[in-house]
Amino acid sequence: MKTGPLSLIAAAAALAVTAGVATLTVPNDEDDAGKAAPAAERIAVERSTLLCPQPGDTEVGETTYTSFVPPGEGDEGSAELLPATTESEAAEEQEKKDDEDGDKDGGGKKDEKKKDDAPDPVAPLKRAGTPAEAVTDDAEAPALVGTAEGDFAPGWSVQQTTLVSAGDGRGLSGARCTAPDSEFWFAGASTIDERRDYVQLTNPDDEAAVVDLELFDKDGPVEGDAGNGIQVPGHSSVSVLLSTIAEEPSINVAVHVAARSGRVGAAVHVADEQLGGDWLQPVSEPAPGAVLPGIPGDATSVRLVVYVPGEDDADLAVKLAGPNGSITPAGYESVHAKSGMTTAIDMQKLTQGEVGSLVLEPEDGSTAPVVAALRVTRGKNTEQEMAFIPSSAPVEERTTASGNWAKAASLSLAAPGKAVEVKVAASPGSEGGEPAEETYTVKPGTTLTVEPPKASGREGTFALTVERVSGGELYASRTLETKEDGIPMFTIQTLPDDKGMVEVPDAGQDLGVLMD
């Protein structure tokens, strides 16, 4: 899975040549043999695509969308979200299109009607550095397909947060709208009766996508053919209940989303009868180790779910990076995960009242890639709520958490290796105020909790931009929380790099490739 909303169309165009083929410039004779190849140029992306999943069918929910791009060189561009159609709506649209294709007359009137029927964009961005916000309580709110261009493309971020006050899945459900791709992995889903886990698939393109869903539990692949060949029409969203594609219920499931053709956005919404609900978002690329940042200090239970997609078993050493350093949790020193199976471990009293990040490191020469996520629970008895922390990619340069509100947001910054210097910038609010920023040092092997920098006159939702200034690897997550009827509702989003800049290799013209 790619981790950033990137488009290399502009970069590819820049590399095209009129006569011949562009090739990487490398030393090609004795005079050039000792010279290093020129450094690749870094340029800002010029187009980004983000997909927001359908919030869910609830009569007692309210969803807030917040769009933001960090301030840059200017405000020449656009960024907006448009509704996707549902599967049934897509079928109706196709029938209408087929009818219109058979009618040769009145083309101009049809074009005019199509323009008049175009939906209004959701939270269109007016200028860089200031969030745009939209709120809906529509129980049938659709998935959204977003596009940003020009100055609004680099680092564009959209947060979708739904507050459900009652019923199954009540609580805060938060999702970072993500880029489309052809493959996604999830860990921590379930198909048991107490859970209703839906995978949401959204297609941003004109042509239909064909998607396969594979499930894996503690015994290996989950039997069932209903997840094969799922059709996702163009510019539409399809919702699939995971329990309908499994012949037997499984409590801890890994999900593999693979597009045979086209590309989609994917997220899993989890609703539990006792523990509330939240979005389970994709993990980072499968790798021999994993970092899961930002476990709340007051977590009453933490469940680690690991899946091994390769042919070899994985052996992982477990560390907890807390405020004062890294420790090996007593009783959870290591994990042995078998190939092709999920392994689940309930880690009771893991954080001991302090925010921490779980670090999984390969041991005994293990090179097997893993897929990992945490289910975190807060509260007690009937007043419980859960959230998920998937493994995250590091922040190489910059990342942004949109959709924060006063006294509800905090950042977790983890440095599993060397110390890291980090700058955190808070934007003005969507309804006014001033920006503010602070610089922090995250000590090696620790997790630092950061409250948003205070700003004068801030009103509405705001964004937090995290910039890695220097040092080692940085991992980050953002927590939003509120309290309703005694229930500690919360949601956690990991914050991978925004990939707002891409490297364009130095190229030169080589007409020799046209000759025999």
Side-chain angles (χ1 to χ4, degrees), residues 286-311:
V291 178
L292 304 99
I295 307 169
D298 62 351
T300 51
S301 70
V302 177
R303 175 177 294 174
L304 170 66
V305 179
V306 178
Y307 172 73
V308 184
E311 296 180 355

Side-chain angles (χ1 to χ4, degrees), residues 86-409:
T86 63
E87 190 172 10
S88 59
E89 290 171 336
E92 292 176 4
E93 287 295 323
Q94 185 61 46
E95 288 181 9
K96 289 181 182 179
K97 183 177 184 299
D98 293 341
D99 292 341
E100 290 175 358
D101 288 343
D103 184 356
K104 302 298 183 181
D105 300 325
K109 292 181 180 179
K110 290 174 189 173
D111 291 342
E112 183 177 347
K113 184 177 186 300
K114 184 176 181 180
K115 183 177 180 181
D116 292 341
D117 292 344
D120 293 330
V122 176
L125 203 59
K126 302 299 183 183
R127 58 183 180 272
T130 301
E133 180 184 285
V135 180
T136 181
D137 59 2
D138 184 358
E140 299 180 354
L144 300 178
V145 177
T147 303
E149 297 181 329
D151 293 335
F152 290 172
W156 184 40
S157 171
V158 179
Q159 170 74 15
Q160 170 184 310
T161 305
T162 302
L163 174 62
V164 178
S165 57
D168 291 352
R170 52 96 180 102
L172 274 182
S173 291
R176 295 180 77 250
C177 301
T178 56
D181 208 335
S182 59
E183 184 180 35
F184 300 87
W185 282 100
F186 301 85
S190 184
T191 59
I192 59 175
D193 292 341
E194 295 82 5
R195 289 266 291 266
R196 292 179 61 81
D197 291 14
Y198 287 87
V199 61
Q200 297 275 356
L201 304 171
T202 305
N203 180 1
D205 300 320
D206 294 334
E207 300 298 323
V210 180
V211 177
D212 293 333
L213 300 180
E214 298 177 289
L215 307 184
F216 305 87
D217 64 10
K218 64 182 179 62
D219 298 317
V222 174
E223 293 186 4
D225 297 326
N228 294 329
I230 297 171
Q231 298 280 334
V232 187
H235 302 287
S236 71
S237 178
V238 172
S239 179
V240 181
L241 180 62
L242 290 181
S243 61
T244 63
I245 63 176
E247 294 181 0
E248 298 292 336
S250 298
I251 189 169
N252 299 299
V253 172
V255 182
H256 183 216
V257 178
R260 293 189 205 172
S261 63
R263 56 180 190 157
V264 294
V268 176
H269 190 264
V270 174
D272 187 280
E273 292 179 359
Q274 300 296 325
L275 302 178
D278 206 344
W279 286 102
L280 174 58
Q281 295 205 265
V283 306
S284 57
E285 293 277 2
V291 178
L292 304 99
I295 307 169
D298 62 351
T300 51
S301 70
V302 177
R303 175 177 294 174
L304 170 66
V305 179
V306 178
Y307 172 73
V308 184
E311 296 180 355
D312 299 324
D313 294 355
D315 290 292
L316 303 165
V318 179
K319 293 183 179 179
L320 181 69
N324 302 310
S326 294
I327 64 169
T328 299
Y332 311 111
E333 294 85 358
S334 63
V335 174
H336 177 75
K338 293 183 178 180
S339 169
M341 304 178 185
T342 58
T343 299
I345 301 174
D346 286 318
M347 298 178 165
Q348 303 297 330
K349 299 180 181 180
L350 177 67
T351 56
Q352 300 293 328
E354 296 180 327
V355 174
S357 300
L358 201 68
V359 180
L360 305 178
E361 298 178 339
E363 62 178 6
D364 298 331
S366 176
T367 59
V370 299
V371 172
L374 298 173
R375 190 200 71 182
V376 179
T377 305
R378 299 171 68 203
K380 297 180 180 180
N381 301 323
T382 60
E383 298 178 346
Q384 294 186 76
E385 160 76 321
M386 68 176 175
F388 296 91
I389 306 175
S391 63
S392 180
V395 181
E396 297 171 7
E397 295 186 15
R398 184 183 67 179
T399 188
T400 295
S402 303
N404 306 285
W405 63 88
K407 299 180 180 180

Side-chain angles (χ1 to χ4, degrees), residues 35-104:
K35 297 180 181 179
E41 181 184 3
R42 293 184 61 77
I43 64 172
V45 298
E46 295 184 355
R47 182 182 174 88
S48 296
T49 299
L50 294 178
L51 305 176
C52 304
Q54 187 175 358
D57 185 7
T58 175
E59 299 292 339
V60 288
E62 181 178 86
T63 299
T64 301
Y65 302 95
T66 307
S67 174
F68 179 80
V69 65
E73 298 299 324
D75 289 326
E76 296 296 325
S78 63
E80 63 183 25
L81 300 149
L82 293 174
T85 57
T86 63
E87 190 172 10
S88 59
E89 290 171 336
E92 292 176 4
E93 287 295 323
Q94 185 61 46
E95 288 181 9
K96 289 181 182 179
K97 183 177 184 299
D98 293 341
D99 292 341
E100 290 175 358
D101 288 343
D103 184 356
K104 302 298 183 181

